[in-house]
Amino acid sequence: MFRPKIPANPTPTGIVTPLPLPLPLPLPIEPTSITQHTPAPTPVAPAVARPTVQLTPGALVALVGGGTAVVLVVGAVLVSMLLAVAITGASLAICALVVRSLIASEHKRR
């Protein structure tokens, strides 16, 4: 039942049937010439003087204060989410203990 069934091969007859050959399609052959093109040099534009960013002491303090505020807000959100998960888990554990106690006391009364 669980053994694989291998099909039995018939005995070879020695007759070989050739495969049909595909008919060749006539393709037009057109001669092509190889030409080498050298690209024209692109003109180089003069360098444009861009203004550099300079941080003043006031801008640096604002940047550090903004980064600190972002870190504190993200940290507070993550801690509150962790506390929500912990409180939910603790309340589910207490509910499970109460239900188990009720079921156990129901079986003892019979």
Side-chain angles (χ1 to χ4, degrees), residues 91-109:
S91 64
L92 284 175
I94 292 172
C95 289
L97 288 175
V98 169
V99 169
R100 189 175 78 172
S101 172
L102 289 175
I103 291 174
S105 66
E106 183 70 28
H107 286 295
K108 288 181 181 179
R109 288 184 189 167

Side-chain angles (χ1 to χ4, degrees), residues 4-109:
K5 296 181 181 179
I6 301 172
N9 291 331
T11 57
T13 59
I15 300 172
V16 177
T17 56
L19 294 174
L21 296 175
L23 295 175
L25 297 174
L27 297 174
I29 299 174
E30 298 176 4
T32 58
S33 63
I34 298 174
T35 57
Q36 197 171 23
H37 297 286
T38 57
T42 56
V44 178
V48 178
R50 288 186 265 165
T52 58
V53 177
Q54 294 180 355
L55 290 177
T56 60
L60 188 62
V61 169
L63 186 64
V64 170
T68 305
V70 167
V71 168
L72 289 176
V73 168
V74 170
V77 168
L78 290 177
V79 167
S80 64
M81 289 172 65
L82 179 65
L83 283 174
V85 170
I87 291 171
T88 303
S91 64
L92 284 175
I94 292 172
C95 289
L97 288 175
V98 169
V99 169
R100 189 175 78 172
S101 172
L102 289 175
I103 291 174
S105 66
E106 183 70 28
H107 286 295
K108 288 181 181 179
R109 288 184 189 167

